[in-house]
Amino acid sequence: MALDSASQNQRRSDAPEVVVARLPQYVRILTRLLQEGAEVVSSQQLGEKLQVTPAQIRKDLSYFGRFGKQGRGYSVIHLLERLKLILGLNSFWNVAVVGVGRLGRAILSYPGFTPDGFHIVAAFDSNPDVVGETIAGLTVSSLEELDEVVSSKKISIAIVAVPTEHTQGVVDRLVACGVRAVLNYAPISPQVREGVRVRNIDPVLSLQSMTYYLTDHPVD
Amino acid sequence: MALDSASQNQRRSDAPEVVVARLPQYVRILTRLLQEGAEVVSSQQLGEKLQVTPAQIRKDLSYFGRFGKQGRGYSVIHLLERLKLILGLNSFWNVAVVGVGRLGRAILSYPGFTPDGFHIVAAFDSNPDVVGETIAGLTVSSLEELDEVVSSKKISIAIVAVPTEHTQGVVDRLVACGVRAVLNYAPISPQVREGVRVRNIDPVLSLQSMTYYLTDHPVD
DNA sequence: CCGCATTCGTACTAATTTTCACAAATACCT
DNA sequence: AGGTATTTGTGAAAATTAGTACGAATGCGG
Ligand SMILES: NC(=O)c1ccc[n+]([C@@H]2O[C@H](COP(=O)([O-])OP(=O)(O)OC[C@H]3O[C@@H](n4cnc5c(N)ncnc54)[C@H](O)[C@@H]3O)[C@@H](O)[C@H]2O)c1
Ligand SMILES: NC(=O)c1ccc[n+]([C@@H]2O[C@H](COP(=O)([O-])OP(=O)(O)OC[C@H]3O[C@@H](n4cnc5c(N)ncnc54)[C@H](O)[C@@H]3O)[C@@H](O)[C@H]2O)c1
């Protein structure tokens, strides 16, 4: 008794969502450390880079197993590998972008998704003038092809950048096609059935949560 | 004794940051309700729209005062007014955009900032080919003019969309000019001195925090 | 005008999240 | 090899955040 399967198993169920949300940051720092040639890193050093306490890092990791060595720290390459596995980043996810407007184009030409585990393999727009256009090597498809392409390309993640009023409808269609995670840029929070994940990116809310702390008056 | 200044004062100090971060969402819903002609709203109704418990809404609001009426609810227009005042959204904040690339252009032409309290009044880029260009009615300035423009236009908020490696430098310059809040789009977290606020927008981290829950395997 | 249905504001309780602190393990120095 | 300095992993404590539940108002219907 005592030493059971915890260390070789991911224990997916019982890690709090806040903890899971911090893991990608650990992955990012570790990736950088690996590139810089670091072989080991302590929770202390990691904490300094991330501005969190070393205890929090150790506690977070302990939800998933035991990855460190006392007196030494963590093997950068090994911990990175394990975290990617836990997050499902050991191979690539195919992603669709829906809405090829100003923002959608910036997203399509952003090179930062690929090194971090995401391949943008399809783009959709409802505007016939946009359909057929090629951006960053990808030809924009029409919405009619959505179901077919999502299935054939095994797309389970979508980035949605369409006008607010079309967002819920687009998300509904995507979910019906089998998409299980949505990154939404419109200033609403689309409703989805249980089991589908949504993250919203909303610069206005971010700005408004800062002005509270700007004690002097805004310009008038 | 007993009934003191709490209700007519904002009590800025003691509201937890999580609570402050929810207020902009309340503002957004209330704005919509006002447009729809609603006069009063209960914490119950608000909670349904926001997917939070009515108790949380009442608790959150109670950090700042007493805005409701028993048996009736909250006056939409009155509560909205008060929340905007608390968040410093009663008048406009002038904002600068630094980095007029693909993303910066999308931001400059996004009409969603103005109705919510932010005027983009300046844009800066280091590329001489971009300086002088006019986007969405705004002419791009060179970085030499940064200090002068930030002062003269009373800019205290900046949106930064420059390449990762230039981000920390740009943020440092902005802070030196007097900017006190930064919305950063690069995949790092710029370090700033105490008193300056930063929010990061990082779609990759958002995606990576969802893949954990996508139990079936990514494409390989 | 009275009773009943609402709904707030908040004291209290519960749950969650973070931090502390220490035994156990490891590395390193002499 | 022995001693000292590190550093992990984790129970326990502390702090934060969320939820319950109820008294006190308020409005409404008859
Ligand atoms: N531009 C920004 O910086 C910015 C910032 C914050 C939020 N947003 C939000 O992002 C979304 C897109 O913004 P944008 O500036 O790119 O707008 P845009 O108008 O430039 O582009 C929207 C695109 O979506 C397409 N579209 C419309 N309905 C569609 C549908 N049903 N299915 C597929 N495609 C459809 C349009 O043809 C167009 O190409 C909006 O919701 C906006 O509020 C944008
Ligand atoms: N495009 C996206 O969808 C996207 C998504 C996520 C993150 N980002 C991040 O946003 C930032 C901008 O992305 P982009 O796609 O617009 O890049 P981009 O290369 O198209 O634009 C960057 C702009 O910044 C300017 N610039 C460079 N150094 C500068 C400096 N020191 N001061 C002022 N301006 C400077 C450049 O001249 C250029 O115009 C990057 O950090 C990128 O990682 C972009």
Side-chain angles (χ1 to χ4, degrees):
Chain A
M1 63 311 196
L3 65 144
D4 60 359
S5 65
S7 67
Q8 52 183 327
N9 199 312
Q10 268 110 262
R11 279 193 284 163
R12 303 197 61 81
S13 43
D14 59 356
E17 197 155 329
V18 272
V19 172
V20 173
R22 278 192 293 263
L23 300 186
Q25 298 187 255
Y26 301 166
V27 167
R28 181 167 285 167
I29 297 285
L30 289 165
T31 303
R32 212 174 67 205
L33 285 170
L34 187 66
Q35 280 166 0
E36 290 167 1
E39 304 210 333
V40 292
V41 66
S42 66
S43 58
Q44 171 79 49
Q45 296 170 296
L46 238 26
E48 276 162 22
K49 292 190 188 292
L50 286 159
Q51 308 276 53
V52 299
T53 63
Q56 179 158 78
I57 290 170
R58 296 201 299 276
K59 186 62 153 226
D60 283 356
L61 297 178
S62 78
Y63 281 100
F64 305 97
R66 305 157 54 121
F67 309 115
K69 224 175 204 169
Q70 282 111 322
R72 196 163 152 70
Y74 301 88
S75 151
V76 172
I77 196 167
H78 179 239
L79 181 58
L80 177 57
E81 200 53 43
R82 295 303 304 271
L83 287 180
K84 284 176 126 180
L85 207 62
I86 290 162
L87 285 170
L89 300 173
N90 42 313
S91 68
F92 283 90
W93 292 90
N94 284 344
V95 176
V97 170
V98 185
V100 185
R102 292 160 302 193
L103 192 55
R105 282 157 207 267
I107 291 165
L108 285 171
S109 46
Y110 178 55
F113 291 111
T114 298
D116 284 330
F118 303 93
H119 277 324
I120 299 180
V121 296
F124 299 92
D125 202 287
S126 62
N127 183 342
D129 296 345
V130 174
V131 172
E133 220 182 302
T134 297
I135 293 141
L138 203 64
T139 302
V140 179
S141 304
S142 90
L143 285 172
E144 273 90 72
E145 306 167 67
L146 191 68
D147 207 335
E148 201 275 301
V149 174
V150 166
S151 302
S152 68
K153 295 207 171 160
K154 297 196 173 63
I155 292 168
S156 34
I157 302 177
I159 298 177
V160 178
V162 304
T164 309
E165 60 275 22
H166 295 120
T167 298
Q168 183 67 56
V170 163
V171 169
D172 289 346
R173 281 197 66 176
L174 286 164
V175 170
C177 293
V179 164
R180 311 243 314 289
V182 172
L183 184 64
N184 164 51
Y185 279 86
I188 59 162
S189 191
Q191 302 304 299
V192 292
R193 66 164 172 73
E194 162 97 39
V196 178
R197 296 268 149 183
V198 175
R199 294 283 124 97
N200 299 301
I201 285 189
D202 195 327
V204 167
L205 293 185
S206 299
L207 289 174
Q208 291 183 335
S209 73
M210 291 193 282
T211 53
Y212 175 81
Y213 301 99
L214 268 33
T215 41
D216 57 353
H217 310 296
V219 320
D220 48 299
Chain B
M1 64 305 198
L3 65 144
D4 58 2
S5 64
S7 66
Q8 51 182 327
N9 198 313
Q10 268 109 264
R11 280 194 283 163
R12 304 196 60 80
S13 43
D14 61 355
E17 198 155 328
V18 273
V19 171
V20 174
R22 278 192 294 263
L23 300 187
Q25 299 186 255
Y26 301 165
V27 167
R28 181 167 286 167
I29 298 285
L30 289 165
T31 303
R32 214 174 67 206
L33 285 169
L34 187 66
Q35 280 164 2
E36 289 167 2
E39 303 211 333
V40 292
V41 66
S42 66
S43 57
Q44 172 78 50
Q45 295 170 296
L46 238 25
E48 275 161 23
K49 292 190 188 290
L50 286 160
Q51 308 275 54
V52 299
T53 62
Q56 178 156 81
I57 290 170
R58 297 202 299 276
K59 191 84 174 303
D60 284 356
L61 297 179
S62 78
Y63 281 102
F64 305 97
R66 304 157 55 120
F67 309 114
K69 224 175 204 168
Q70 282 111 322
R72 194 161 153 70
Y74 302 89
S75 151
V76 172
I77 195 167
H78 179 238
L79 181 57
L80 177 56
E81 199 53 42
R82 294 302 305 268
L83 288 180
K84 285 177 127 182
L85 207 61
I86 290 163
L87 285 170
L89 300 172
N90 41 314
S91 67
F92 283 91
W93 292 89
N94 283 345
V95 176
V97 170
V98 185
V100 185
R102 293 161 300 194
L103 192 54
R105 282 157 206 267
I107 291 166
L108 285 171
S109 46
Y110 179 54
F113 292 111
T114 298
D116 283 332
F118 303 94
H119 277 324
I120 298 181
V121 296
F124 299 91
D125 202 287
S126 62
N127 183 341
D129 296 345
V130 175
V131 172
E133 220 182 302
T134 297
I135 294 139
L138 202 63
T139 303
V140 180
S141 305
S142 89
L143 286 172
E144 272 91 71
E145 307 167 66
L146 192 67
D147 206 335
E148 199 276 302
V149 174
V150 166
S151 303
S152 68
K153 294 205 171 160
K154 295 197 175 62
I155 292 169
S156 36
I157 302 177
I159 298 177
V160 178
V162 303
T164 310
E165 60 275 21
H166 294 120
T167 298
Q168 183 66 57
V170 162
V171 169
D172 289 345
R173 280 196 66 176
L174 286 164
V175 170
C177 294
V179 164
R180 311 245 313 290
V182 172
L183 184 64
N184 165 52
Y185 279 85
I188 59 162
S189 191
Q191 302 305 299
V192 291
R193 67 165 171 73
E194 161 97 38
V196 178
R197 295 269 148 183
V198 174
R199 294 284 125 95
N200 299 301
I201 286 189
D202 196 326
V204 167
L205 293 185
S206 299
L207 290 174
Q208 291 183 333
S209 74
M210 290 194 282
T211 54
Y212 175 82
Y213 302 99
L214 267 33
T215 42
D216 59 352
H217 311 294
V219 319
D220 48 298

